[in-house]
Amino acid sequence: MHRFYVSKERIEKSVVTFEEDIEHQICKVLRLIDGNSVIVFDNSGHEYLIELRNVNSKKIHGQILEKTKIDTELAIGISLFQSVLKSGERFEYILQKCTELGVAKFVPLVTSRTIPRMTSSSISTKSLRWRKIIREAAEQSGRVLLPELSEIKYFNELSGINQNLSIILWEEEEIQDIKSYLSIMSNDTSNNISEINIIVGPEGGFESNEIQYAENIGVKPVSLGKRILRSDTAGIAAVSCV
């Protein structure tokens, strides 16, 4: 069944109204008709079974038939600090797949080797696009809570994240791999881990001074094994490991 995200303001009593782009999708793309059922969610943890009304008019809306509490979230909250990539499509692919895997928060990251030049206008345009990618992935994957998209951060702004378990992927780490480190942390009964930060570098990786900075603020460097993965593979692999 087709699923759509709507803001809470669009659910009033037993009636749901839709934004213009969803109306277009319902009428022109999916060609749904009066009486068809869809599911909507409003970022509250609930799903609503909706019966469509007045589909071929300017007053299209849905009648709520059923409200259900749904839990599709992970037991641990994952924040992915993903460096912005040269290829916008590859960065969007990470957002899409990691939304499907259950990431709770995305933080676009600018590092020393980040290639794209970020301006205020480009950031605004990219953020709108990224939110759309995340929303559509949440709709498709059955999530009822949208992952948060943070403002872009620079690497030297990470000093406030050490209150959680935090790891940084580094291809030169020769001692600690991600699976063994996560195993050690999960088996330590003194730890009550509810959140984790995963930091992923750009195409050229991190500079050694960035790794040193990360360690100084309590972030643990880990490897993903004996092979070097592309940046757009590394984040997805790390989320899957967690």
Side-chain angles (χ1 to χ4, degrees), residues 50-226:
I50 303 297
E51 183 180 282
L52 295 175
R53 307 280 177 85
N54 298 333
V55 171
N56 292 313
S57 74
K58 293 184 178 180
K59 297 182 179 179
I60 179 174
H61 65 273
Q63 190 73 29
I64 296 177
L65 303 179
E66 184 179 312
K67 177 181 177 181
T68 307
K69 181 72 173 178
I70 302 291
D71 184 10
T72 56
E73 298 305 299
L74 301 179
I76 185 171
I78 302 176
S79 295
L80 180 62
F81 291 71
Q82 173 67 54
S83 297
V84 179
L85 303 180
K86 181 179 180 180
S87 169
E89 290 183 2
R90 291 189 181 278
F91 188 83
E92 291 172 4
Y93 183 81
I94 296 169
L95 296 177
Q96 181 189 69
K97 297 309 171 188
C98 287
T99 296
E100 294 176 21
L101 288 171
V103 165
K105 181 179 180 179
F106 293 100
V107 183
L109 195 61
V110 175
T111 71
S112 296
R113 295 175 178 170
T114 297
I115 297 174
R117 296 183 62 185
M118 310 303 293
T119 64
S120 297
S121 59
S122 67
I123 288 173
S124 177
T125 300
K126 288 178 185 294
S127 294
L128 288 174
R129 171 68 178 170
W130 292 343
R131 291 183 194 281
K132 182 174 185 291
I133 296 292
I134 290 170
R135 187 198 73 198
E136 291 177 349
E139 291 173 344
Q140 177 273 320
S141 60
R143 295 186 66 172
V144 291
L145 296 177
L146 291 179
E148 177 186 349
L149 177 64
S150 169
E151 295 180 351
I152 288 178
K153 288 189 178 295
Y154 290 85
F155 196 82
N156 59 6
E157 297 178 315
L158 297 183
S159 57
I161 71 170
N162 61 345
Q163 66 270 24
N164 301 319
L165 173 63
S166 301
I167 57 176
I168 185 168
L169 306 185
W170 191 35
E171 69 279 4
E172 294 185 32
E173 172 58 38
E174 298 178 348
I175 299 174
Q176 195 75 74
D177 67 85
I178 186 171
K179 286 188 177 181
S180 62
Y181 182 67
L182 292 175
S183 179
I184 291 169
M185 298 303 293
S186 63
N187 290 329
D188 186 347
T189 56
S190 65
N191 289 322
N192 183 20
I193 302 171
S194 60
E195 297 180 344
I196 184 171
N197 300 312
I198 303 173
I199 306 172
V200 186
E203 291 89 344
F206 290 111
E207 293 186 348
S208 57
N209 66 319
E210 289 176 319
I211 297 298
Q212 184 61 60
Y213 170 80
E215 289 187 285
N216 290 342
I217 63 172
V219 180
K220 178 67 176 179
V222 298
S223 77
L224 285 171
K226 298 179 180 179

